[in-house]
Amino acid sequence: DAGMQVVCEGFGHGAAPSLQWLVLGFNNFGPVGAAALAAALRRGALPKLSWLSLMNNPLGNQGVAALAAPLRKLPALMELRLLNNNIGDEGVASLFANLGKDDFKALKTLWLAYNQITDAGMTTLVAALDAGRLPRLLNDQDDDKKFFLKQNRASASAVQAVEDALAKRSQ
């Protein structure tokens, strides 16, 4: 967490205004580090960020809640990887409940695999999709992208409901 705070302070000094890809996986930062990243994003430190990987960090619901609002507003964010971050239904609700029409407007690829998401979290995601939110989100099921929602606590039917909502929207 302390290392993330230092990195994010650096973002605030004009160090990364053109940064498009940021991979912070496997760094063992939790909610405090996530809050530092959220503060940097709120300051507009990474306005061109289009690809963010936070996988394999113990963010939990609290860390995702800190990141939710600034992530929603990133205008260029096309890919978000939140694999194996100890995210549950509360974290999913932070990210996707009550989305505004411009929230996650560029997001095409979302990876939420290997978390603690149950049927309730999948229902939140289906509600967002059915409401016309996440307009560019793709249901990539090729061999490289089978990790969209896999290995969570949700039932197969709840995961299928998300996939069906995405498929219905693209028709």
Side-chain angles (χ1 to χ4, degrees), residues 65-96:
L67 287 163
L71 286 175
R72 288 176 173 206
K73 301 301 181 194
L74 287 173
L77 187 64
M78 294 190 317
E79 181 152 342
L80 179 59
R81 293 184 179 209
L82 296 172
L83 290 89
N84 196 27
N85 293 122
N86 297 321
I87 300 168
D89 299 333
E90 291 175 34
V92 172
S94 295
L95 284 170
F96 303 115

PDB file of all heavy atoms in Angstrom, residues 65-96:
ATOM      1  N   ALA A  65     -14.716  -0.159  -4.093  1.00  0.00           N
ATOM      2  CA  ALA A  65     -15.611   0.979  -3.820  1.00  0.00           C
ATOM      3  C   ALA A  65     -14.856   2.297  -3.937  1.00  0.00           C
ATOM      4  O   ALA A  65     -15.386   3.279  -4.473  1.00  0.00           O
ATOM      5  CB  ALA A  65     -16.239   0.832  -2.439  1.00  0.00           C
ATOM      6  N   ALA A  66     -13.605   2.332  -3.472  1.00  0.00           N
ATOM      7  CA  ALA A  66     -12.803   3.552  -3.593  1.00  0.00           C
ATOM      8  C   ALA A  66     -12.532   3.889  -5.051  1.00  0.00           C
ATOM      9  O   ALA A  66     -12.525   5.056  -5.442  1.00  0.00           O
ATOM     10  CB  ALA A  66     -11.488   3.392  -2.831  1.00  0.00           C
ATOM     11  N   LEU A  67     -12.306   2.876  -5.862  1.00  0.00           N
ATOM     12  CA  LEU A  67     -11.972   3.074  -7.276  1.00  0.00           C
ATOM     13  C   LEU A  67     -13.179   3.297  -8.176  1.00  0.00           C
ATOM     14  O   LEU A  67     -13.043   3.833  -9.288  1.00  0.00           O
ATOM     15  CB  LEU A  67     -11.206   1.854  -7.798  1.00  0.00           C
ATOM     16  CG  LEU A  67      -9.773   1.718  -7.326  1.00  0.00           C
ATOM     17  CD1 LEU A  67      -9.266   0.297  -7.558  1.00  0.00           C
ATOM     18  CD2 LEU A  67      -8.906   2.738  -8.037  1.00  0.00           C
ATOM     19  N   ALA A  68     -14.353   2.880  -7.746  1.00  0.00           N
ATOM     20  CA  ALA A  68     -15.526   2.828  -8.628  1.00  0.00           C
ATOM     21  C   ALA A  68     -15.829   4.160  -9.316  1.00  0.00           C
ATOM     22  O   ALA A  68     -15.912   4.219 -10.549  1.00  0.00           O
ATOM     23  CB  ALA A  68     -16.749   2.335  -7.857  1.00  0.00           C
ATOM     24  N   ALA A  69     -16.016   5.211  -8.563  1.00  0.00           N
ATOM     25  CA  ALA A  69     -16.411   6.495  -9.173  1.00  0.00           C
ATOM     26  C   ALA A  69     -15.359   7.019 -10.151  1.00  0.00           C
ATOM     27  O   ALA A  69     -15.709   7.387 -11.274  1.00  0.00           O
ATOM     28  CB  ALA A  69     -16.732   7.522  -8.092  1.00  0.00           C
ATOM     29  N   PRO A  70     -14.077   7.057  -9.781  1.00  0.00           N
ATOM     30  CA  PRO A  70     -13.117   7.563 -10.767  1.00  0.00           C
ATOM     31  C   PRO A  70     -12.948   6.652 -11.979  1.00  0.00           C
ATOM     32  O   PRO A  70     -12.738   7.141 -13.093  1.00  0.00           O
ATOM     33  CB  PRO A  70     -11.810   7.711  -9.990  1.00  0.00           C
ATOM     34  CG  PRO A  70     -12.016   7.114  -8.663  1.00  0.00           C
ATOM     35  CD  PRO A  70     -13.471   6.891  -8.464  1.00  0.00           C
ATOM     36  N   LEU A  71     -13.062   5.345 -11.792  1.00  0.00           N
ATOM     37  CA  LEU A  71     -12.973   4.437 -12.945  1.00  0.00           C
ATOM     38  C   LEU A  71     -14.129   4.670 -13.906  1.00  0.00           C
ATOM     39  O   LEU A  71     -13.945   4.662 -15.121  1.00  0.00           O
ATOM     40  CB  LEU A  71     -12.973   2.977 -12.504  1.00  0.00           C
ATOM     41  CG  LEU A  71     -11.698   2.438 -11.873  1.00  0.00           C
ATOM     42  CD1 LEU A  71     -11.921   1.006 -11.382  1.00  0.00           C
ATOM     43  CD2 LEU A  71     -10.534   2.496 -12.838  1.00  0.00           C
ATOM     44  N   ARG A  72     -15.320   4.852 -13.372  1.00  0.00           N
ATOM     45  CA  ARG A  72     -16.506   5.075 -14.203  1.00  0.00           C
ATOM     46  C   ARG A  72     -16.338   6.266 -15.139  1.00  0.00           C
ATOM     47  O   ARG A  72     -16.906   6.298 -16.215  1.00  0.00           O
ATOM     48  CB  ARG A  72     -17.731   5.357 -13.325  1.00  0.00           C
ATOM     49  CG  ARG A  72     -18.285   4.202 -12.587  1.00  0.00           C
ATOM     50  CD  ARG A  72     -19.414   4.685 -11.709  1.00  0.00           C
ATOM     51  NE  ARG A  72     -20.119   3.609 -11.063  1.00  0.00           N
ATOM     52  CZ  ARG A  72     -21.378   3.684 -10.660  1.00  0.00           C
ATOM     53  NH1 ARG A  72     -22.072   4.799 -10.834  1.00  0.00           N
ATOM     54  NH2 ARG A  72     -21.958   2.652 -10.090  1.00  0.00           N
ATOM     55  N   LYS A  73     -15.582   7.259 -14.695  1.00  0.00           N
ATOM     56  CA  LYS A  73     -15.471   8.526 -15.424  1.00  0.00           C
ATOM     57  C   LYS A  73     -14.286   8.589 -16.386  1.00  0.00           C
ATOM     58  O   LYS A  73     -14.149   9.582 -17.107  1.00  0.00           O
ATOM     59  CB  LYS A  73     -15.361   9.682 -14.432  1.00  0.00           C
ATOM     60  CG  LYS A  73     -16.535   9.791 -13.487  1.00  0.00           C
ATOM     61  CD  LYS A  73     -17.837   9.989 -14.206  1.00  0.00           C
ATOM     62  CE  LYS A  73     -19.003  10.111 -13.226  1.00  0.00           C
ATOM     63  NZ  LYS A  73     -20.287   9.975 -13.886  1.00  0.00           N
ATOM     64  N   LEU A  74     -13.424   7.577 -16.414  1.00  0.00           N
ATOM     65  CA  LEU A  74     -12.284   7.612 -17.328  1.00  0.00           C
ATOM     66  C   LEU A  74     -12.793   7.535 -18.764  1.00  0.00           C
ATOM     67  O   LEU A  74     -13.331   6.514 -19.181  1.00  0.00           O
ATOM     68  CB  LEU A  74     -11.324   6.455 -17.047  1.00  0.00           C
ATOM     69  CG  LEU A  74     -10.480   6.566 -15.789  1.00  0.00           C
ATOM     70  CD1 LEU A  74      -9.698   5.281 -15.553  1.00  0.00           C
ATOM     71  CD2 LEU A  74      -9.547   7.762 -15.868  1.00  0.00           C
ATOM     72  N   PRO A  75     -12.610   8.578 -19.554  1.00  0.00           N
ATOM     73  CA  PRO A  75     -13.228   8.623 -20.876  1.00  0.00           C
ATOM     74  C   PRO A  75     -12.662   7.633 -21.884  1.00  0.00           C
ATOM     75  O   PRO A  75     -13.362   7.245 -22.814  1.00  0.00           O
ATOM     76  CB  PRO A  75     -12.973  10.064 -21.337  1.00  0.00           C
ATOM     77  CG  PRO A  75     -11.787  10.510 -20.561  1.00  0.00           C
ATOM     78  CD  PRO A  75     -11.857   9.786 -19.242  1.00  0.00           C
ATOM     79  N   ALA A  76     -11.412   7.211 -21.699  1.00  0.00           N
ATOM     80  CA  ALA A  76     -10.778   6.327 -22.682  1.00  0.00           C
ATOM     81  C   ALA A  76     -10.663   4.879 -22.212  1.00  0.00           C
ATOM     82  O   ALA A  76     -10.177   4.032 -22.961  1.00  0.00           O
ATOM     83  CB  ALA A  76      -9.384   6.861 -23.016  1.00  0.00           C
ATOM     84  N   LEU A  77     -11.112   4.566 -21.000  1.00  0.00           N
ATOM     85  CA  LEU A  77     -10.923   3.219 -20.452  1.00  0.00           C
ATOM     86  C   LEU A  77     -11.686   2.172 -21.267  1.00  0.00           C
ATOM     87  O   LEU A  77     -12.909   2.157 -21.284  1.00  0.00           O
ATOM     88  CB  LEU A  77     -11.356   3.153 -18.990  1.00  0.00           C
ATOM     89  CG  LEU A  77     -11.058   1.837 -18.277  1.00  0.00           C
ATOM     90  CD1 LEU A  77      -9.553   1.592 -18.188  1.00  0.00           C
ATOM     91  CD2 LEU A  77     -11.675   1.830 -16.887  1.00  0.00           C
ATOM     92  N   MET A  78     -10.937   1.313 -21.963  1.00  0.00           N
ATOM     93  CA  MET A  78     -11.534   0.270 -22.802  1.00  0.00           C
ATOM     94  C   MET A  78     -11.390  -1.119 -22.205  1.00  0.00           C
ATOM     95  O   MET A  78     -12.182  -1.999 -22.515  1.00  0.00           O
ATOM     96  CB  MET A  78     -10.916   0.303 -24.202  1.00  0.00           C
ATOM     97  CG  MET A  78     -11.249   1.563 -24.950  1.00  0.00           C
ATOM     98  SD  MET A  78     -10.811   1.572 -26.709  1.00  0.00           S
ATOM     99  CE  MET A  78      -9.213   0.856 -26.752  1.00  0.00           C
ATOM    100  N   GLU A  79     -10.379  -1.345 -21.381  1.00  0.00           N
ATOM    101  CA  GLU A  79     -10.188  -2.669 -20.779  1.00  0.00           C
ATOM    102  C   GLU A  79      -9.869  -2.513 -19.310  1.00  0.00           C
ATOM    103  O   GLU A  79      -8.999  -1.726 -18.923  1.00  0.00           O
ATOM    104  CB  GLU A  79      -9.066  -3.439 -21.477  1.00  0.00           C
ATOM    105  CG  GLU A  79      -8.876  -4.815 -20.867  1.00  0.00           C
ATOM    106  CD  GLU A  79      -8.324  -5.856 -21.814  1.00  0.00           C
ATOM    107  OE1 GLU A  79      -8.379  -5.660 -23.042  1.00  0.00           O
ATOM    108  OE2 GLU A  79      -7.873  -6.887 -21.324  1.00  0.00           O
ATOM    109  N   LEU A  80     -10.590  -3.290 -18.491  1.00  0.00           N
ATOM    110  CA  LEU A  80     -10.413  -3.283 -17.048  1.00  0.00           C
ATOM    111  C   LEU A  80     -10.289  -4.721 -16.567  1.00  0.00           C
ATOM    112  O   LEU A  80     -11.193  -5.526 -16.771  1.00  0.00           O
ATOM    113  CB  LEU A  80     -11.605  -2.593 -16.374  1.00  0.00           C
ATOM    114  CG  LEU A  80     -11.595  -2.519 -14.852  1.00  0.00           C
ATOM    115  CD1 LEU A  80     -10.354  -1.773 -14.341  1.00  0.00           C
ATOM    116  CD2 LEU A  80     -12.878  -1.842 -14.374  1.00  0.00           C
ATOM    117  N   ARG A  81      -9.160  -5.036 -15.961  1.00  0.00           N
ATOM    118  CA  ARG A  81      -8.898  -6.386 -15.464  1.00  0.00           C
ATOM    119  C   ARG A  81      -8.889  -6.378 -13.939  1.00  0.00           C
ATOM    120  O   ARG A  81      -7.975  -5.839 -13.318  1.00  0.00           O
ATOM    121  CB  ARG A  81      -7.575  -6.907 -16.000  1.00  0.00           C
ATOM    122  CG  ARG A  81      -7.619  -7.128 -17.489  1.00  0.00           C
ATOM    123  CD  ARG A  81      -6.350  -7.735 -17.996  1.00  0.00           C
ATOM    124  NE  ARG A  81      -6.464  -7.940 -19.430  1.00  0.00           N
ATOM    125  CZ  ARG A  81      -5.841  -8.890 -20.086  1.00  0.00           C
ATOM    126  NH1 ARG A  81      -5.043  -9.725 -19.450  1.00  0.00           N
ATOM    127  NH2 ARG A  81      -5.989  -9.011 -21.381  1.00  0.00           N
ATOM    128  N   LEU A  82      -9.910  -6.981 -13.389  1.00  0.00           N
ATOM    129  CA  LEU A  82     -10.055  -7.107 -11.934  1.00  0.00           C
ATOM    130  C   LEU A  82     -10.152  -8.583 -11.558  1.00  0.00           C
ATOM    131  O   LEU A  82     -11.086  -8.996 -10.893  1.00  0.00           O
ATOM    132  CB  LEU A  82     -11.301  -6.345 -11.473  1.00  0.00           C
ATOM    133  CG  LEU A  82     -11.269  -4.831 -11.680  1.00  0.00           C
ATOM    134  CD1 LEU A  82     -12.620  -4.217 -11.361  1.00  0.00           C
ATOM    135  CD2 LEU A  82     -10.173  -4.189 -10.855  1.00  0.00           C
ATOM    136  N   LEU A  83      -9.198  -9.353 -11.982  1.00  0.00           N
ATOM    137  CA  LEU A  83      -9.174 -10.793 -11.696  1.00  0.00           C
ATOM    138  C   LEU A  83      -8.516 -11.043 -10.341  1.00  0.00           C
ATOM    139  O   LEU A  83      -7.486 -10.445 -10.026  1.00  0.00           O
ATOM    140  CB  LEU A  83      -8.358 -11.543 -12.756  1.00  0.00           C
ATOM    141  CG  LEU A  83      -8.945 -11.633 -14.154  1.00  0.00           C
ATOM    142  CD1 LEU A  83      -8.539 -10.461 -14.991  1.00  0.00           C
ATOM    143  CD2 LEU A  83      -8.502 -12.916 -14.798  1.00  0.00           C
ATOM    144  N   ASN A  84      -9.094 -11.938  -9.579  1.00  0.00           N
ATOM    145  CA  ASN A  84      -8.506 -12.388  -8.319  1.00  0.00           C
ATOM    146  C   ASN A  84      -8.188 -11.214  -7.394  1.00  0.00           C
ATOM    147  O   ASN A  84      -7.067 -11.049  -6.932  1.00  0.00           O
ATOM    148  CB  ASN A  84      -7.248 -13.227  -8.582  1.00  0.00           C
ATOM    149  CG  ASN A  84      -6.846 -14.026  -7.364  1.00  0.00           C
ATOM    150  OD1 ASN A  84      -7.666 -14.380  -6.533  1.00  0.00           O
ATOM    151  ND2 ASN A  84      -5.565 -14.311  -7.250  1.00  0.00           N
ATOM    152  N   ASN A  85      -9.217 -10.400  -7.143  1.00  0.00           N
ATOM    153  CA  ASN A  85      -9.074  -9.229  -6.280  1.00  0.00           C
ATOM    154  C   ASN A  85      -9.942  -9.304  -5.025  1.00  0.00           C
ATOM    155  O   ASN A  85     -10.132  -8.285  -4.360  1.00  0.00           O
ATOM    156  CB  ASN A  85      -9.423  -7.951  -7.044  1.00  0.00           C
ATOM    157  CG  ASN A  85      -8.461  -7.620  -8.147  1.00  0.00           C
ATOM    158  OD1 ASN A  85      -8.853  -7.500  -9.293  1.00  0.00           O
ATOM    159  ND2 ASN A  85      -7.185  -7.464  -7.827  1.00  0.00           N
ATOM    160  N   ASN A  86     -10.488 -10.473  -4.710  1.00  0.00           N
ATOM    161  CA  ASN A  86     -11.363 -10.635  -3.539  1.00  0.00           C
ATOM    162  C   ASN A  86     -12.584  -9.725  -3.597  1.00  0.00           C
ATOM    163  O   ASN A  86     -13.026  -9.180  -2.600  1.00  0.00           O
ATOM    164  CB  ASN A  86     -10.604 -10.406  -2.230  1.00  0.00           C
ATOM    165  CG  ASN A  86      -9.502 -11.404  -2.019  1.00  0.00           C
ATOM    166  OD1 ASN A  86      -9.664 -12.580  -2.327  1.00  0.00           O
ATOM    167  ND2 ASN A  86      -8.370 -10.947  -1.510  1.00  0.00           N
ATOM    168  N   ILE A  87     -13.125  -9.551  -4.795  1.00  0.00           N
ATOM    169  CA  ILE A  87     -14.304  -8.715  -4.993  1.00  0.00           C
ATOM    170  C   ILE A  87     -15.554  -9.564  -4.826  1.00  0.00           C
ATOM    171  O   ILE A  87     -15.660 -10.651  -5.388  1.00  0.00           O
ATOM    172  CB  ILE A  87     -14.304  -8.087  -6.400  1.00  0.00           C
ATOM    173  CG1 ILE A  87     -13.068  -7.210  -6.597  1.00  0.00           C
ATOM    174  CG2 ILE A  87     -15.579  -7.288  -6.644  1.00  0.00           C
ATOM    175  CD1 ILE A  87     -12.848  -6.785  -8.031  1.00  0.00           C
ATOM    176  N   GLY A  88     -16.501  -9.053  -4.082  1.00  0.00           N
ATOM    177  CA  GLY A  88     -17.785  -9.713  -3.899  1.00  0.00           C
ATOM    178  C   GLY A  88     -18.904  -8.869  -4.486  1.00  0.00           C
ATOM    179  O   GLY A  88     -18.677  -7.942  -5.272  1.00  0.00           O
ATOM    180  N   ASP A  89     -20.109  -9.180  -4.070  1.00  0.00           N
ATOM    181  CA  ASP A  89     -21.291  -8.499  -4.602  1.00  0.00           C
ATOM    182  C   ASP A  89     -21.292  -7.000  -4.291  1.00  0.00           C
ATOM    183  O   ASP A  89     -21.734  -6.196  -5.116  1.00  0.00           O
ATOM    184  CB  ASP A  89     -22.557  -9.147  -4.052  1.00  0.00           C
ATOM    185  CG  ASP A  89     -22.663 -10.602  -4.451  1.00  0.00           C
ATOM    186  OD1 ASP A  89     -22.111 -10.987  -5.506  1.00  0.00           O
ATOM    187  OD2 ASP A  89     -23.287 -11.379  -3.698  1.00  0.00           O
ATOM    188  N   GLU A  90     -20.781  -6.617  -3.123  1.00  0.00           N
ATOM    189  CA  GLU A  90     -20.718  -5.198  -2.777  1.00  0.00           C
ATOM    190  C   GLU A  90     -19.793  -4.443  -3.740  1.00  0.00           C
ATOM    191  O   GLU A  90     -20.087  -3.316  -4.129  1.00  0.00           O
ATOM    192  CB  GLU A  90     -20.220  -5.016  -1.347  1.00  0.00           C
ATOM    193  CG  GLU A  90     -21.189  -5.478  -0.285  1.00  0.00           C
ATOM    194  CD  GLU A  90     -20.572  -5.383   1.104  1.00  0.00           C
ATOM    195  OE1 GLU A  90     -19.766  -4.464   1.348  1.00  0.00           O
ATOM    196  OE2 GLU A  90     -20.898  -6.235   1.944  1.00  0.00           O
ATOM    197  N   GLY A  91     -18.697  -5.063  -4.092  1.00  0.00           N
ATOM    198  CA  GLY A  91     -17.785  -4.441  -5.041  1.00  0.00           C
ATOM    199  C   GLY A  91     -18.409  -4.281  -6.411  1.00  0.00           C
ATOM    200  O   GLY A  91     -18.241  -3.244  -7.069  1.00  0.00           O
ATOM    201  N   VAL A  92     -19.132  -5.300  -6.849  1.00  0.00           N
ATOM    202  CA  VAL A  92     -19.826  -5.221  -8.137  1.00  0.00           C
ATOM    203  C   VAL A  92     -20.876  -4.116  -8.094  1.00  0.00           C
ATOM    204  O   VAL A  92     -21.009  -3.333  -9.046  1.00  0.00           O
ATOM    205  CB  VAL A  92     -20.452  -6.581  -8.508  1.00  0.00           C
ATOM    206  CG1 VAL A  92     -21.343  -6.476  -9.727  1.00  0.00           C
ATOM    207  CG2 VAL A  92     -19.363  -7.620  -8.729  1.00  0.00           C
ATOM    208  N   ALA A  93     -21.597  -4.022  -6.983  1.00  0.00           N
ATOM    209  CA  ALA A  93     -22.594  -2.958  -6.853  1.00  0.00           C
ATOM    210  C   ALA A  93     -21.924  -1.582  -6.912  1.00  0.00           C
ATOM    211  O   ALA A  93     -22.456  -0.661  -7.539  1.00  0.00           O
ATOM    212  CB  ALA A  93     -23.377  -3.123  -5.553  1.00  0.00           C
ATOM    213  N   SER A  94     -20.765  -1.437  -6.280  1.00  0.00           N
ATOM    214  CA  SER A  94     -20.041  -0.159  -6.341  1.00  0.00           C
ATOM    215  C   SER A  94     -19.716   0.216  -7.777  1.00  0.00           C
ATOM    216  O   SER A  94     -19.821   1.376  -8.168  1.00  0.00           O
ATOM    217  CB  SER A  94     -18.730  -0.247  -5.559  1.00  0.00           C
ATOM    218  OG  SER A  94     -18.957  -0.441  -4.205  1.00  0.00           O
ATOM    219  N   LEU A  95     -19.303  -0.756  -8.555  1.00  0.00           N
ATOM    220  CA  LEU A  95     -18.914  -0.500  -9.938  1.00  0.00           C
ATOM    221  C   LEU A  95     -20.095  -0.258 -10.871  1.00  0.00           C
ATOM    222  O   LEU A  95     -20.034   0.610 -11.741  1.00  0.00           O
ATOM    223  CB  LEU A  95     -18.104  -1.677 -10.490  1.00  0.00           C
ATOM    224  CG  LEU A  95     -16.662  -1.793 -10.038  1.00  0.00           C
ATOM    225  CD1 LEU A  95     -16.085  -3.133 -10.473  1.00  0.00           C
ATOM    226  CD2 LEU A  95     -15.832  -0.651 -10.601  1.00  0.00           C
ATOM    227  N   PHE A  96     -21.180  -1.030 -10.696  1.00  0.00           N
ATOM    228  CA  PHE A  96     -22.196  -1.085 -11.752  1.00  0.00           C
ATOM    229  C   PHE A  96     -23.614  -0.693 -11.367  1.00  0.00           C
ATOM    230  O   PHE A  96     -24.435  -0.491 -12.258  1.00  0.00           O
ATOM    231  CB  PHE A  96     -22.223  -2.486 -12.369  1.00  0.00           C
ATOM    232  CG  PHE A  96     -20.893  -2.888 -12.915  1.00  0.00           C
ATOM    233  CD1 PHE A  96     -20.192  -3.938 -12.357  1.00  0.00           C
ATOM    234  CD2 PHE A  96     -20.321  -2.201 -13.969  1.00  0.00           C
ATOM    235  CE1 PHE A  96     -18.949  -4.301 -12.841  1.00  0.00           C
ATOM    236  CE2 PHE A  96     -19.081  -2.547 -14.456  1.00  0.00           C
ATOM    237  CZ  PHE A  96     -18.385  -3.602 -13.896  1.00  0.00           C
TER     238      PHE A  96
END
